[in-house]
Amino acid sequence: MKKIDAKEMDFTALNAAIREADGPCCVENCLGQRFIGAGMKEPDIEIFGIPGNALGAYLAGAQITVRGNAQDAVGDTMNDGSIVIHGSVGDAVGYAMRGGEIYVRGNAGYRAGIHMKEYREKKPVLVIGGCAGSFLGEYQAGGLILVLALGAGERPPVSNFPCTGMHGGRMVLRKDAAGVKFPAGVNCRQATPEDMESLSPYIRKFAALFDYDGEALLADRYTVITPDSRNPYKQMYVAN
């Protein structure tokens, strides 16, 4: 694995060095460089430090692992591949995500998973191990957002205004959703055995990545939120 010391590099030089690597690379002393891995199909990248905004934007197949926290817009409009964050992330993780998987061990900021969408076999997945800030899944059109709320105590898994404008996909919360106010355009229900079967691969993968007990997580109760209409705005219009 090629080692790249990012201490004296700006983001342009760092990305050039990653692209020139002949195989997987390890980035050390990362501190705020933006756009790392943007649009890349390869190589796989392991990062020590804190990458800047838009980590893995438009990612096309590479695997990115961060041994720490990450800033805003992780996985912005990513198409394929995976991003694993061993800390927490800032705002807008998974913005307009179209494919691939993002796993966050800790918390996520505001507007995680907004504008997520899916097409045929492309179904993006965002798993947040801690809690999420306000506007989670705003305008969600597809894919899966899963919030495990580990270590949350009495704190709700998500803050204000989740699912605003949601018209596709699923949001799933571990723990009861008591205290979480959802908009009128969505349905909330307890997860069925069929739901848990579909969630199992992602929960098990999260557990394996971050050293949790997957069986214990699968034994918990989950709440599933889905839109109740393909057009959540239809009540705003008058038919001619």
Side-chain angles (χ1 to χ4, degrees):
M1 179 179 287
K2 180 178 179 179
K3 290 189 177 181
I4 301 171
D5 188 347
K7 187 174 182 179
E8 302 297 332
M9 287 185 172
D10 63 15
F11 72 89
T12 302
L14 176 55
N15 272 302
I18 292 171
R19 290 181 184 278
E20 292 167 3
D22 184 18
C25 58
C26 173
V27 177
E28 299 177 337
N29 298 312
C30 184
L31 187 59
Q33 290 91 341
R34 298 173 291 164
F35 311 121
I36 296 174
M40 292 186 185
K41 292 184 178 180
E42 54 184 26
D44 294 347
I45 307 165
E46 185 173 20
I47 300 172
F48 290 85
I50 302 175
N53 290 358
L55 170 74
Y58 302 99
L59 196 69
Q63 317 294 308
I64 300 177
T65 301
V66 178
R67 303 291 178 180
N69 299 323
Q71 295 184 10
D72 297 343
V74 170
D76 183 346
T77 325
M78 71 181 282
N79 292 298
D80 203 355
S82 72
I83 301 176
V84 176
I85 308 294
H86 284 258
S88 295
V89 294
D91 297 339
V93 57
Y95 174 87
M97 193 178 171
R98 299 182 290 198
E101 299 177 359
I102 299 176
Y103 292 86
V104 179
R105 179 169 189 163
N107 299 320
Y110 294 158
R111 288 190 158 87
I114 70 169
H115 291 293
M116 277 178 63
K117 60 204 73 177
E118 64 183 65
Y119 180 69
R120 294 182 178 175
E121 75 283 357
K122 287 282 191 179
K123 295 184 179 181
V125 175
L126 170 60
V127 182
I128 299 167
C131 295
S134 297
F135 295 102
L136 176 68
E138 186 178 26
Y139 305 119
Q140 184 182 355
L144 168 66
I145 299 174
L146 172 59
V147 182
L148 299 175
L150 294 164
E154 297 302 314
R155 177 183 172 184
V158 57
S159 294
N160 300 320
F161 315 116
C163 306
T164 302
M166 181 185 191
H167 55 284
R170 287 185 299 165
M171 183 183 295
V172 181
L173 309 178
R174 190 182 70 90
K175 301 174 60 175
D176 291 331
V180 179
K181 186 176 180 180
F182 294 100
V186 301
N187 294 319
C188 300
R189 58 177 174 78
Q190 185 173 342
T192 65
E194 291 76 17
D195 290 318
M196 296 310 300
E197 183 177 359
S198 70
L199 295 170
S200 175
Y202 308 114
I203 294 173
R204 291 182 188 279
K205 184 171 181 179
F206 177 92
L209 285 168
F210 303 122
D211 197 25
Y212 281 94
D213 185 340
E215 297 305 317
L217 290 176
L218 285 166
D220 284 339
R221 293 181 61 183
Y222 289 78
T223 300
V224 178
I225 304 98
T226 54
D228 67 3
S229 170
R230 289 187 177 272
N231 183 0
Y233 310 109
K234 66 180 180 181
Q235 68 272 18
M236 299 173 63
Y237 300 94
V238 177
N240 292 325

